[in-house]
Amino acid sequence: MKINFKNLTVQVVIAIIVGILLGHFFPATGEKLKVLADIFIKLIKMVIAPIVFFTVVNGIANMGDMKKVGRIGGKALLYFEIVTTAALAIGLVVVNLVKPGAGIDMAGATGDISKYTDAAAETSHGFMDFIVGIVPDSVVGAMANGELLPILLFAVLFGLSLTAMGESAKPVTALFDKLIKAFFGVVNMIMKVSPIAAFGAMSYTIGKFGIGSLFSLGKLMGSVYITMAVFIFVVLGLIAKFYGFSIFKFIRYIKEEILLVIGTSSSESALPKMMEKLEKYGCSKPVVGLVIPTGYSFNLDGTSIYLSMAAVFVAQAAGIDLTIWQQLTLLGVLMLTSKGAAGVTGSGFITLAATLAAFPSIPIAGMALLLGVDRFMSEARAITNLIGNGVATVVVAKMEGEFHPEGAQEKAPAETPGDKAAVSAKLQYGVERV
């Protein structure tokens, strides 16, 4: 089979392989190449805020139904809470069965974790502080800092205001529609350099931590990867099947975004393209605009699995046998702290520090054991978060009757007048096309 080297997926795969080799054989050079990934992620973050704002505003304004906006948001939040709690619980079950921390010498915990604990102290606030933080001091400031929830709040209010204006708002929505296309044009230009970013990120990771770090805590890493795979193919797979689409075909459909996440270890890097892909898949613009940005704060399934497993792992390494009630309390704490995690590299580690700080019976110093492999596990977290948010968007769209696959049927089976079999095949293809 001939390999198409112009295909972005092929380029990213090659870049990842070359990055691993360079990081292994020339570690000093590999460490310096992190800047390539950093620049790419900054380029992506540069366009996330305006894309989210314009997409949500236009979606709500064109929907013209304020009650429907509230229904979509309510269903999305309920779905997020149920699924992330399931992810936390699965993580706790697996880590108790496998016991990856048992027998590990806590004295081997070396490494500076102060930057994570300091960051956790700065970001650890109560529930009311979190609610107040959703309201921005300045819309411009929220845009500049890329704060998704404040941007989303303002976009919803702006969209509702345009809805109330009726026909007089048409020039604004027409302008926003053109701006959305322009910004996605910028994203397409940025994506052309994604293989370079993947190369730099993998060179840095292997160069700094070495391939050997993959095996030093292999039992924990294996447990986390297997748990996330079970969550994706069993839990999300059953949800997808219930709502009439295949998780395997859906994953194949977003394979380029998954490879990008593997290369950069950040689900945020794939956000703009993921929004575009989901609209092409059949989800309506307002559902995509509301569910995906909200999911990046409230529906981090991979981060939830990692947090529950890592917290108990540290306790096991310290020789602390947590009772069922202590673990249920830990689950409750994690249900709150996991909602504050962002979709960027390292956020899971900071959230873990915040969790352990709120659970003093587990020594926070044990986090140093995780330093060497956290970068590798962050890839699994980010992939699971990405797939989880994609599935959530399709599910909410289907629940609301906002899933229209007929718009993505370019290669569907041909239909002839009166041919019911062809019509049925086409509709089925539209649901499962990936």
Side-chain angles (χ1 to χ4, degrees):
M1 185 177 68
K2 188 177 179 180
I3 299 175
N4 180 12
F5 290 100
K6 293 183 179 180
N7 183 279
L8 186 64
T9 304
V10 173
Q11 292 175 1
V12 171
V13 170
I14 293 173
I16 290 172
I17 294 171
V18 174
I20 291 172
L21 293 174
L22 188 142
H24 178 62
F25 292 107
F26 305 98
T29 303
E31 280 192 57
K32 297 176 183 177
L33 295 179
K34 181 175 181 286
V35 65
L36 298 177
D38 291 341
I39 291 172
F40 176 79
I41 291 175
K42 288 186 73 173
L43 284 169
I44 289 292
K45 292 177 76 172
M46 174 181 72
V47 295
I48 285 176
I51 284 176
V52 168
F53 176 73
F54 293 129
T55 301
V56 173
V57 169
N58 249 26
I60 293 173
N62 291 329
M63 185 183 292
D65 186 346
M66 297 184 187
K67 290 182 179 179
K68 194 164 189 177
V69 174
R71 264 201 330 270
I72 291 172
K75 288 180 180 179
L77 289 174
L78 180 61
Y79 175 93
F80 295 160
E81 190 59 43
I82 292 171
V83 176
T84 52
T85 301
L88 288 167
I90 290 171
L92 283 178
V93 170
V94 173
V95 78
N96 276 284
L97 290 175
V98 180
K99 298 186 183 300
I104 291 182
D105 184 9
M106 191 73 167
T110 59
D112 182 16
I113 61 170
S114 59
K115 66 177 181 179
Y116 299 106
T117 53
D118 291 345
E122 291 175 6
T123 56
S124 295
H125 303 293
F127 177 73
M128 290 309 299
D129 292 320
F130 174 74
I131 296 298
V132 172
I134 294 176
V135 182
D137 294 323
S138 162
V139 174
V140 176
M143 288 278 189
N145 295 324
E147 299 168 355
L148 282 185
L149 286 182
I151 292 168
L152 187 61
L153 173 66
F154 180 69
V156 169
L157 295 175
F158 200 94
L160 293 175
S161 176
L162 290 180
T163 300
M165 290 169 61
E167 288 297 316
S168 60
K170 292 295 183 184
V172 179
T173 56
L175 172 62
F176 279 17
D177 189 56
K178 290 182 173 63
L179 287 171
I180 290 169
K181 292 176 181 176
F183 273 104
F184 273 118
V186 174
V187 171
N188 289 332
M189 287 187 280
I190 295 172
M191 291 304 294
K192 293 184 185 299
V193 300
S194 60
I196 298 174
F199 164 72
M202 291 307 296
S203 297
Y204 163 77
T205 300
I206 301 300
K208 183 173 180 63
F209 301 110
I211 291 180
S213 63
L214 286 169
F215 307 104
S216 62
L217 292 170
K219 194 173 182 181
L220 173 64
M221 281 188 59
S223 301
V224 170
Y225 273 72
I226 290 171
T227 305
M228 292 189 184
V230 169
F231 178 81
I232 290 170
F233 295 112
V234 177
V235 177
L236 295 183
L238 288 174
I239 292 172
K241 185 175 182 180
F242 182 81
Y243 282 95
F245 65 105
S246 166
I247 190 67
F248 297 99
K249 292 181 179 180
F250 182 73
I251 289 172
R252 197 154 62 238
Y253 178 67
I254 60 169
K255 62 182 182 296
E256 288 185 1
E257 288 68 34
I258 291 173
L259 284 169
L260 180 61
V261 168
I262 291 173
T264 60
S265 295
S266 169
S267 57
E268 201 168 56
S269 63
L271 175 57
K273 290 298 290 184
M274 191 68 176
M275 293 177 72
E276 188 177 30
K277 274 278 185 77
L278 286 167
E279 284 185 39
K280 290 180 179 177
Y281 189 63
C283 301
S284 70
K285 189 183 291 291
V287 170
V288 172
L290 282 171
V291 177
I292 283 283
T294 310
Y296 266 64
S297 286
F298 290 96
N299 189 43
L300 300 177
D301 302 326
T303 303
S304 297
I305 291 170
Y306 166 79
L307 289 172
S308 59
M309 296 187 74
V312 177
F313 168 82
V314 172
Q316 291 173 349
I320 298 171
D321 187 16
L322 298 175
T323 66
I324 183 65
W325 295 110
Q326 286 177 313
Q327 293 197 39
L328 288 174
T329 304
L330 176 63
L331 180 65
V333 172
L334 287 167
M335 285 172 66
L336 295 175
T337 55
S338 63
K339 300 299 182 291
V344 296
T345 306
S347 62
F349 212 66
I350 293 170
T351 307
L352 177 61
T355 304
L356 296 185
F359 209 85
S361 61
I362 304 176
I364 198 169
M367 285 179 57
L369 285 168
L370 303 170
L371 280 174
V373 294
D374 182 72
R375 177 80 185 191
F376 298 104
M377 287 192 289
S378 72
E379 294 167 1
R381 293 197 298 265
I383 292 170
T384 308
N385 292 340
L386 180 78
I387 296 171
N389 279 314
V391 170
T393 305
V394 177
V395 168
V396 174
K398 283 175 171 283
M399 284 194 289
E400 275 296 306
E402 292 287 329
F403 185 75
H404 308 293
E406 64 274 7
Q409 292 183 8
E410 301 89 346
K411 298 180 183 179
E415 178 185 349
T416 57
D419 186 352
K420 293 182 179 179
V423 173
S424 176
K426 186 172 183 179
L427 289 173
Q428 181 65 21
Y429 182 88
V431 172
E432 296 190 350
R433 175 198 176 269
V434 286

